[in-house]
Amino acid sequence: MLRMSGRLFLFAAALAAVGFAGLPAQAEVSAEAQFVFNSFSFLIHGALVMWMAAGFAMLESGLVRTKNTAAICLKNIALYAVAGILYYLIGYSLMYVDVSGYIGSFSLLYNPSGAELDLINADEATPEMITAVTDAGYSSMSDWFFQMVFVATAASIVSGTLAERIKVWPFLIFTVFLTGLIYPIQGAWIWGGGWLSEMGFSDFAGSTVVHSVGGWAALSGAVILGARKGKYSPDGRVNAMPGANLPLATLGTFVLWLGWFGFNGGSQLALGSALDAAAMAIVYVNTNLAAAAGVLAAMALNQILYKKIDLTIALNGAIGGLVAITAGPDLQNHLLSIIVGGIGGFLVVIAVPLLDRLKIDDVVGAISAHLVCGVWGTLAVGIFGGGSIGVQLLGIVAVGAFVLVTSTIFWLALKFTVGIRVSEEDEEMGLDKAELGMEAYPEFGHGAKSF
Amino acid sequence: MLRMSGRLFLFAAALAAVGFAGLPAQAEVSAEAQFVFNSFSFLIHGALVMWMAAGFAMLESGLVRTKNTAAICLKNIALYAVAGILYYLIGYSLMYVDVSGYIGSFSLLYNPSGAELDLINADEATPEMITAVTDAGYSSMSDWFFQMVFVATAASIVSGTLAERIKVWPFLIFTVFLTGLIYPIQGAWIWGGGWLSEMGFSDFAGSTVVHSVGGWAALSGAVILGARKGKYSPDGRVNAMPGANLPLATLGTFVLWLGWFGFNGGSQLALGSALDAAAMAIVYVNTNLAAAAGVLAAMALNQILYKKIDLTIALNGAIGGLVAITAGPDLQNHLLSIIVGGIGGFLVVIAVPLLDRLKIDDVVGAISAHLVCGVWGTLAVGIFGGGSIGVQLLGIVAVGAFVLVTSTIFWLALKFTVGIRVSEEDEEMGLDKAELGMEAYPEFGHGAKSF
Amino acid sequence: MLRMSGRLFLFAAALAAVGFAGLPAQAEVSAEAQFVFNSFSFLIHGALVMWMAAGFAMLESGLVRTKNTAAICLKNIALYAVAGILYYLIGYSLMYVDVSGYIGSFSLLYNPSGAELDLINADEATPEMITAVTDAGYSSMSDWFFQMVFVATAASIVSGTLAERIKVWPFLIFTVFLTGLIYPIQGAWIWGGGWLSEMGFSDFAGSTVVHSVGGWAALSGAVILGARKGKYSPDGRVNAMPGANLPLATLGTFVLWLGWFGFNGGSQLALGSALDAAAMAIVYVNTNLAAAAGVLAAMALNQILYKKIDLTIALNGAIGGLVAITAGPDLQNHLLSIIVGGIGGFLVVIAVPLLDRLKIDDVVGAISAHLVCGVWGTLAVGIFGGGSIGVQLLGIVAVGAFVLVTSTIFWLALKFTVGIRVSEEDEEMGLDKAELGMEAYPEFGHGAKSF
């Protein structure tokens, strides 16, 4: 795992040096305790990020119409399963094992480190065995777990945009490509020690690596798939297709907000020293402030522009603020986090109608929240002194071009083979009946008829 | 952060003394590891308390009628945002920085400690830098984060009581007052080292500081705002206005129960010693037992009084038990926790119809669960030997008077300027359409018409 | 707490020996830090398992019909309350205190260890006091908390199977028997150091102890209670009674998946060494891979057999995979976990129609997911080298026989005294109106009429 900022890496080395030389014995954290802290941070924060998969499922369930609700639920749990398996089969190795500038290793499967297996399987542990394990700093599979839940997040973003008209199986095949190839390759560039990392591109927890990547793949899919039937009238009117269950969408947003403490906090990547604990706390606080600012900024701008308050805009404002802060929550200025998150909230309000004008039909607003705010957050790191603006721009463009091109190839390949869009009749009937043969809410109202 | 019982403070000092003198080197926790444990406890437990905001959102969404559901969702996410920003801007300083008996500092913004910034920004960490940081015991912003989520809880309580008739923006303005001024000032008295703290008032995790405060502010608002149209017939009949989505209310209660382990468990305020870990475990267990007893007591009393089982009463019984134990979950007698929580459950069953008789319209039962049981829990600490009954009573009365008076001033100021209540037609139509221009469940049934 | 594999126990001893003799002082984790790590792992992972109670509540709420939704919500929160109280009153002592082969102690109540109370109540802590506490390895009540949430899980399984026709109070009385007697006694055999444990029966986190036990009790109840009215036509047709709210069922499954990291991860039972942290990470990863494989296997087999994708089958596939891996998530082969979990997914697809052919009406598929996959997972440990197949089989049969017999006795006793099944009219009307006098969704559609 090379996802570690140069600065922190130097610190860790410095601390280690200090630890064994200058400090009184009782003042520091032992190497083995550091190992436990670091590994436990990966596990607990990883579990919080896993929880974001539920957040996306609820957000999207709440924002689609009843007739497509069971299908979006199915896609969300299935994509999380696909992501986990694919990242184990090839993704992690591609992203983190022996990355030589552009790509990692094509080795199949990923397993615990030999030193850890030796220790676990030994009849008697020797001091040397324990040292061999703790020298790595954290348990290998705790890191794998933490990285795996990130790729699942990228996949979750795509499902929301393409809801209500994409077929289930082709969507899952695309998820195989995204989580097994597209995500890990660009990830290797930035977090695996590849060329962008070497140039100094800075993305603390993934405004670009995770959120923009999901956003670009969603954008490509939305263009190729086309808008939902009836969304855009020939006369240019945009027809609202309101979500069926807004409390679920609210719940989903709260789940994402909670999970984001794992996403950003865990991306400190260590918890074994006072420095790490203090820095992690700053990350938590900045994450929360940016999200709060995103909510209020989105609500305020919407009130000014449209003279009304809008729940879904407030929810997407929170997500926009969270995505925006994700590239640099370790910058210590809390006021700055409020500004970065607040601008994220503004951008959501602006981007949603803009995409509609371009007739890009994004069912849940994911492109606005994840792609637009992901670009903004990555740039903000350059603007506010956490990196070079030029390099940040280069990274944004390079990743964008790579994901757009590869996604487009995969989407087109699927389109011209198995097909990606349901028939007009099936879309009218709803994916739940057409593809799953079931209804999400069989006893409630008459939704499928009224739209 | 002065929120530390005198007894524990003495212990910490004693432990420190013992640590450096009497214990064999390997037996104790190093100062830096203590710092990490303490800070991580604040962060993880704080994240659990943040999750309670989602719990309130779901509980309230489930207990209002469909036509007011989107509005209550919006209020809940917005109030959490407001609380986070305001507590950063002025609240924390008022409550914890240089409290001189009655009030803290009016300094704007709150930032990481200088020692932590020095360490984070240094090119090379010196042992002195690390010692300067670890001497504080925990990271400054981890504490801020933990305290911030508590003020959000107080604000969440208010929204439920006032649902279905209060305007969105004025409610949020009140939240500014509550989280920026009212909450921090009384908090300074008790947890910031102010006068009540000096008298020995004891409130472990906030039966009074958080729950009663939210309850008093809600009570004041409910009286000034008036009951919902049609709730109380002129002939004295109370008309049920049943919640629209009881599984969501159930989910919300489970979320609160889970979050409460963070609320009470994290309020041990430390995790760096065997004493702290053992005490925290006792807190978890007592919290769970009190909630369980609250559920069963409320169900049993309801069965006896009304010959039926009631889901919302069972849910509020859990909350009543949780609120009641919150002032003293560190008292080690588990049987006592069952009694305290069980009485909390009884009180909910008794208080709900009592408030109705007074024509105080509390949509979700928050005054019964949070104010009544908060008072009970605070008293119970005095009764069962965790403090002086007289001082506990004095604190209850002083905080109650302060919050009632200030809340009433703010509510009245809002009433006579921007107005706080929607028009009769808007109330009839529902806040979702009237204030937000949307529906929470556009495809389900015809709720708005049938009530 | 004796729930500790022999191998790990040896390791702990070996580590301790090494620690005080061979390792350089700074390399290891101090005894007190180990105590904190171990206790905190119990608390945090226990909180995650508690969250599974919410998962079951949502899963079951989503899979019953609207007219029985409030009742199932009530049962779920009440059973969690009953389990917590009963396990405190007698369960824990029966299972873990002085187990002499078959049964533990009948002592009432369970309290913190004397050493911990001495430390907490002392005016000044002596090194001896701290050593007396840390010698135990973990805080007594943190262990109690962790074990308590497991018994609640077993009880949750029963409520789903028996939904839509069982009376509330008799169900809760059965829960008293299950959590106070049946569960602790067989638990004593396996995790309390009893006869099965001594024979080498291996069940890491409870495929048998928790999931099969819940499943056997549910099976016995389902047979005695009989199928829902109209479920099985005289001509042999099985009539679908589709769940009313599939997004809630999806949410419930995600909650269970998240909670399972606590269930399996926390069952490492320690976090105080590099060995424990590395082993816990392996458990997390295997748990996730098995669940993912369960989803995809169930979806694939369903597609092959029935040419369609089914959301509830995918959800139950996740649970089947999770249950199957629970007996042996510490086996380090990740590929094996995929196989074990995948077979769990297959078994769910096969078992659900099989039970229907036997006219055993399991409303949510809990017998298939928890009993069938629990048996499979327990066997798999024997097959794949984690224990003897013969002993695993013996344990499965012994626990099955014990739970079936005792459950049947209790169910029949209830049936012939207070009665366990609602009247035909009440079943028709729905338990919500009949038993609770309320509706779960009073404004949505007309569900209760249309079925």
Side-chain angles (χ1 to χ4, degrees):
Chain A
M1 192 231 13
L2 281 162
R3 189 177 153 193
M4 189 174 245
S5 85
R7 204 187 47 183
L8 281 178
F9 197 68
L10 283 175
F11 262 112
L15 275 172
V18 164
F20 287 100
L23 278 182
Q26 275 313 305
E28 65 161 26
V29 183
S30 77
E32 191 168 359
Q34 282 186 36
F35 181 93
V36 176
F37 276 128
N38 294 342
S39 303
F40 191 55
S41 170
F42 278 139
L43 294 179
I44 287 294
H45 287 124
L48 281 176
V49 181
M50 176 273 170
W51 187 224
M52 292 172 71
F56 282 107
M58 291 303 104
L59 180 67
E60 298 172 15
S61 295
L63 293 181
V64 300
R65 290 166 294 172
T66 51
K67 65 182 178 184
N68 299 310
T69 302
I72 204 74
C73 287
L74 181 79
K75 281 171 198 158
N76 272 279
I77 197 156
L79 75 83
Y80 180 75
V82 166
I85 299 281
L86 261 289
Y87 205 63
Y88 169 64
L89 291 181
I90 58 168
Y92 185 92
S93 297
L94 268 178
M95 186 156 165
Y96 284 116
V97 178
D98 300 328
V99 174
S100 57
Y102 297 94
I103 205 172
S105 153
F106 256 111
S107 55
L108 268 182
L109 318 181
Y110 185 75
N111 285 303
S113 81
E116 290 173 28
L117 292 182
D118 287 348
L119 178 63
I120 289 174
N121 293 319
D123 285 325
E124 199 171 331
T126 66
E128 289 73 29
M129 277 179 175
I130 296 174
T131 304
V133 164
T134 55
D135 271 357
Y138 52 84
S139 116
S140 52
M141 297 317 291
S142 73
D143 170 50
W144 183 89
F145 181 71
F146 188 69
Q147 306 297 344
M148 176 272 295
V149 288
F150 275 66
V151 62
T153 300
S156 292
I157 294 164
V158 182
S159 71
T161 295
L162 308 182
E164 306 207 301
R165 67 242 199 238
I166 197 167
K167 287 183 190 170
V168 172
W169 285 114
F171 169 77
L172 291 178
I173 298 171
F174 181 82
T175 304
V176 168
F177 295 136
L178 179 68
T179 60
L181 292 173
I182 299 176
Y183 175 91
I185 290 174
Q186 58 84 35
W189 301 352
I190 299 168
W191 285 349
W195 69 279
L196 272 168
S197 153
E198 281 177 4
M199 291 185 69
F201 181 77
S202 177
D203 188 4
F204 188 82
S207 285
T208 285
V209 176
V210 180
H211 295 280
S212 294
V213 164
W216 290 118
L219 177 62
S220 160
V223 170
I224 291 168
L225 195 62
R228 283 168 293 175
K229 201 164 162 273
K231 176 70 186 172
Y232 303 113
S233 298
D235 62 1
R237 229 185 20 190
V238 178
N239 301 303
M241 293 175 164
N245 196 332
L246 297 190
L248 280 195
T250 306
L251 174 65
T253 305
F254 271 115
V255 171
L256 290 173
W257 196 324
L258 171 62
W260 231 288
F261 295 121
F263 202 93
N264 287 359
S267 291
Q268 176 67 19
L269 304 179
L271 179 65
S273 70
L275 173 67
D276 284 317
M280 188 184 282
I282 288 172
V283 169
Y284 267 66
V285 172
N286 285 340
T287 299
N288 197 70
L289 287 174
V295 170
L296 298 178
M299 282 178 68
L301 186 60
N302 207 67
Q303 176 77 38
I304 291 166
L305 292 182
Y306 308 111
K307 310 285 172 240
K308 65 172 191 131
I309 326 167
D310 186 300
L311 172 59
T312 56
I313 283 293
L315 301 179
N316 268 321
I319 299 172
L322 287 163
V323 171
I325 199 63
T326 293
D330 56 333
L331 305 172
Q332 307 113 31
N333 194 321
H334 299 310
L335 211 52
L336 207 66
S337 301
I338 293 178
I339 294 167
V340 168
I343 293 177
F346 288 149
L347 287 173
V348 165
V349 179
I350 295 164
V352 166
L354 221 73
L355 282 171
D356 270 336
R357 203 161 311 159
L358 297 168
K359 303 202 174 176
I360 294 170
D361 184 11
D362 179 357
V363 177
V364 303
I367 297 172
S368 304
H370 295 275
L371 175 53
V372 175
C373 293
V375 167
W376 155 241
T378 309
L379 269 180
V381 169
I383 295 169
F384 296 117
S388 140
I389 298 186
V391 173
Q392 296 299 95
L393 255 175
L394 175 66
I396 291 164
V397 171
V399 169
F402 172 72
V403 179
L404 265 184
V405 169
T406 48
S407 293
T408 302
I409 292 170
F410 288 131
W411 283 126
L412 290 176
L414 287 169
K415 179 173 178 172
F416 294 117
T417 52
V418 293
I420 53 177
R421 184 159 184 151
V422 298
S423 70
E424 280 208 16
E425 304 79 64
D426 283 359
E427 189 176 345
E428 184 76 34
M429 189 201 303
L431 272 63
D432 290 6
K433 277 189 190 157
E435 293 233 290
L436 278 64
M438 64 203 312
E439 289 180 84
Y441 309 105
E443 302 183 44
F444 296 166
H446 313 278
K449 286 170 202 158
S450 56
F451 282 86
Chain B
M1 193 235 7
L2 282 162
R3 189 177 152 192
M4 190 173 242
S5 85
R7 203 187 47 182
L8 282 178
F9 197 69
L10 283 176
F11 262 113
L15 274 172
V18 164
F20 287 100
L23 278 182
Q26 276 312 305
E28 66 160 25
V29 184
S30 76
E32 191 168 359
Q34 282 186 34
F35 181 93
V36 176
F37 275 126
N38 295 341
S39 303
F40 191 55
S41 171
F42 277 140
L43 294 179
I44 287 295
H45 286 125
L48 280 177
V49 181
M50 177 272 169
W51 185 223
M52 291 172 71
F56 283 108
M58 291 304 103
L59 180 66
E60 298 172 15
S61 295
L63 293 181
V64 300
R65 288 166 295 172
T66 53
K67 64 183 179 183
N68 299 311
T69 303
I72 203 74
C73 287
L74 182 80
K75 280 171 199 158
N76 271 280
I77 197 156
L79 75 83
Y80 180 76
V82 166
I85 299 282
L86 260 289
Y87 205 63
Y88 169 64
L89 291 180
I90 58 168
Y92 185 92
S93 296
L94 269 179
M95 186 157 166
Y96 284 116
V97 178
D98 300 328
V99 174
S100 56
Y102 298 94
I103 205 171
S105 153
F106 257 111
S107 55
L108 268 183
L109 317 182
Y110 185 76
N111 284 304
S113 81
E116 288 174 28
L117 292 181
D118 287 348
L119 178 64
I120 289 174
N121 293 318
D123 286 326
E124 200 171 328
T126 65
E128 289 74 28
M129 279 178 174
I130 296 173
T131 304
V133 165
T134 54
D135 271 357
Y138 52 84
S139 118
S140 53
M141 298 315 292
S142 72
D143 170 51
W144 183 88
F145 181 71
F146 188 69
Q147 306 297 344
M148 177 272 296
V149 288
F150 275 66
V151 62
T153 300
S156 292
I157 295 164
V158 183
S159 70
T161 296
L162 309 181
E164 304 207 303
R165 66 242 199 239
I166 196 166
K167 286 184 191 172
V168 173
W169 286 113
F171 169 76
L172 292 177
I173 298 172
F174 181 81
T175 305
V176 167
F177 296 134
L178 179 68
T179 60
L181 292 173
I182 299 175
Y183 175 91
I185 290 173
Q186 59 83 36
W189 300 351
I190 300 167
W191 286 347
W195 68 279
L196 273 168
S197 151
E198 281 178 4
M199 292 184 69
F201 182 77
S202 177
D203 187 5
F204 187 82
S207 285
T208 286
V209 177
V210 180
H211 295 280
S212 294
V213 165
W216 291 119
L219 176 63
S220 159
V223 170
I224 292 169
L225 196 60
R228 285 168 293 175
K229 202 166 161 271
K231 176 70 186 171
Y232 303 111
S233 298
D235 60 2
R237 228 185 21 192
V238 178
N239 300 302
M241 293 177 165
N245 196 331
L246 297 190
L248 280 195
T250 306
L251 174 66
T253 305
F254 271 115
V255 171
L256 290 173
W257 195 326
L258 171 62
W260 231 288
F261 295 120
F263 202 91
N264 286 1
S267 291
Q268 176 66 20
L269 303 178
L271 179 64
S273 70
L275 173 68
D276 285 317
M280 188 184 283
I282 288 171
V283 169
Y284 268 65
V285 171
N286 285 340
T287 300
N288 197 71
L289 287 174
V295 170
L296 298 179
M299 281 178 68
L301 185 60
N302 207 69
Q303 176 76 37
I304 291 165
L305 293 182
Y306 309 112
K307 310 287 172 235
K308 66 173 192 132
I309 325 165
D310 186 298
L311 173 59
T312 56
I313 282 294
L315 301 179
N316 268 322
I319 299 172
L322 288 162
V323 170
I325 198 63
T326 293
D330 57 332
L331 305 171
Q332 307 113 32
N333 194 321
H334 299 310
L335 211 52
L336 207 66
S337 301
I338 292 178
I339 294 167
V340 169
I343 293 177
F346 288 148
L347 287 173
V348 166
V349 178
I350 295 163
V352 166
L354 220 73
L355 283 170
D356 271 336
R357 204 161 310 161
L358 298 168
K359 302 203 175 176
I360 294 170
D361 183 12
D362 179 357
V363 177
V364 304
I367 297 172
S368 306
H370 296 275
L371 175 52
V372 175
C373 294
V375 167
W376 155 240
T378 308
L379 269 181
V381 169
I383 296 168
F384 296 117
S388 138
I389 297 187
V391 173
Q392 297 298 97
L393 256 176
L394 175 68
I396 290 165
V397 171
V399 169
F402 172 72
V403 179
L404 266 184
V405 169
T406 50
S407 293
T408 301
I409 292 170
F410 288 133
W411 282 126
L412 289 176
L414 287 168
K415 179 172 180 173
F416 294 117
T417 53
V418 293
I420 52 177
R421 183 157 183 152
V422 298
S423 70
E424 281 209 15
E425 304 81 62
D426 284 359
E427 189 177 344
E428 183 77 35
M429 189 199 304
L431 273 64
D432 290 6
K433 276 188 190 159
E435 292 233 290
L436 277 65
M438 64 204 312
E439 289 179 84
Y441 309 105
E443 302 183 45
F444 296 166
H446 314 278
K449 284 168 204 158
S450 55
F451 284 86
Chain C
M1 190 228 15
L2 282 162
R3 188 176 153 193
M4 189 174 243
S5 85
R7 202 186 50 184
L8 281 176
F9 197 70
L10 284 176
F11 262 112
L15 275 171
V18 165
F20 287 99
L23 278 183
Q26 276 312 305
E28 65 160 28
V29 183
S30 75
E32 191 168 0
Q34 282 186 35
F35 181 92
V36 176
F37 276 127
N38 295 342
S39 304
F40 191 54
S41 170
F42 277 139
L43 294 178
I44 287 295
H45 286 124
L48 281 177
V49 181
M50 176 271 170
W51 186 222
M52 291 172 71
F56 283 107
M58 291 303 103
L59 180 67
E60 297 172 16
S61 296
L63 293 181
V64 300
R65 289 166 294 171
T66 53
K67 64 183 178 183
N68 299 310
T69 303
I72 203 74
C73 287
L74 182 80
K75 281 171 198 159
N76 271 279
I77 197 155
L79 75 84
Y80 181 76
V82 167
I85 300 283
L86 260 289
Y87 205 62
Y88 169 64
L89 291 181
I90 58 167
Y92 185 92
S93 297
L94 269 179
M95 184 157 166
Y96 284 116
V97 178
D98 300 327
V99 173
S100 56
Y102 298 94
I103 206 172
S105 153
F106 257 112
S107 55
L108 267 183
L109 316 182
Y110 185 75
N111 285 304
S113 80
E116 289 173 29
L117 291 181
D118 286 348
L119 179 63
I120 290 174
N121 293 318
D123 286 325
E124 199 171 330
T126 65
E128 289 72 29
M129 279 178 175
I130 296 174
T131 304
V133 165
T134 55
D135 271 357
Y138 52 84
S139 117
S140 53
M141 297 316 291
S142 72
D143 169 50
W144 184 88
F145 181 71
F146 188 68
Q147 306 298 344
M148 176 272 296
V149 288
F150 274 65
V151 63
T153 299
S156 292
I157 293 165
V158 183
S159 70
T161 295
L162 308 182
E164 306 206 301
R165 67 240 198 240
I166 196 168
K167 287 185 192 170
V168 172
W169 285 114
F171 169 76
L172 293 177
I173 297 171
F174 181 81
T175 305
V176 168
F177 296 135
L178 179 67
T179 61
L181 292 174
I182 300 176
Y183 176 91
I185 290 174
Q186 58 84 35
W189 301 351
I190 300 168
W191 285 349
W195 68 280
L196 273 168
S197 153
E198 280 178 4
M199 291 186 69
F201 182 76
S202 177
D203 187 4
F204 187 82
S207 285
T208 285
V209 176
V210 181
H211 295 280
S212 296
V213 165
W216 291 118
L219 177 63
S220 158
V223 170
I224 292 168
L225 195 60
R228 286 168 292 175
K229 202 167 160 270
K231 177 68 187 174
Y232 303 112
S233 298
D235 61 1
R237 228 182 25 187
V238 178
N239 300 303
M241 295 177 165
N245 196 331
L246 297 191
L248 280 195
T250 306
L251 175 66
T253 306
F254 272 115
V255 170
L256 291 174
W257 196 325
L258 171 62
W260 231 287
F261 295 122
F263 202 92
N264 287 359
S267 291
Q268 176 67 21
L269 303 180
L271 179 64
S273 69
L275 173 67
D276 285 318
M280 187 184 284
I282 288 171
V283 169
Y284 267 66
V285 171
N286 285 340
T287 300
N288 197 71
L289 286 174
V295 171
L296 298 179
M299 282 177 66
L301 185 60
N302 207 69
Q303 177 75 40
I304 290 165
L305 293 182
Y306 308 111
K307 309 288 173 234
K308 67 173 191 131
I309 325 165
D310 186 298
L311 173 59
T312 55
I313 282 294
L315 301 179
N316 268 323
I319 298 171
L322 287 162
V323 171
I325 199 62
T326 292
D330 56 333
L331 305 172
Q332 307 113 34
N333 194 321
H334 298 312
L335 212 51
L336 208 65
S337 302
I338 293 179
I339 293 167
V340 169
I343 292 176
F346 288 148
L347 287 174
V348 165
V349 178
I350 294 163
V352 166
L354 220 73
L355 283 170
D356 270 336
R357 203 158 313 159
L358 297 169
K359 302 202 175 177
I360 294 170
D361 184 12
D362 178 358
V363 178
V364 303
I367 297 172
S368 306
H370 295 274
L371 174 54
V372 176
C373 293
V375 168
W376 155 238
T378 308
L379 269 181
V381 169
I383 296 170
F384 296 119
S388 138
I389 297 187
V391 174
Q392 297 298 99
L393 257 175
L394 175 66
I396 291 166
V397 171
V399 169
F402 171 71
V403 179
L404 266 183
V405 169
T406 50
S407 293
T408 301
I409 292 170
F410 288 132
W411 283 127
L412 289 176
L414 287 168
K415 180 172 177 174
F416 294 117
T417 53
V418 293
I420 52 177
R421 184 159 182 151
V422 297
S423 70
E424 279 208 18
E425 305 80 62
D426 283 359
E427 189 177 344
E428 183 77 32
M429 189 201 303
L431 273 62
D432 291 6
K433 277 189 190 159
E435 292 234 290
L436 278 64
M438 63 203 313
E439 289 180 82
Y441 310 105
E443 302 183 45
F444 297 167
H446 314 278
K449 285 169 203 159
S450 56
F451 284 86

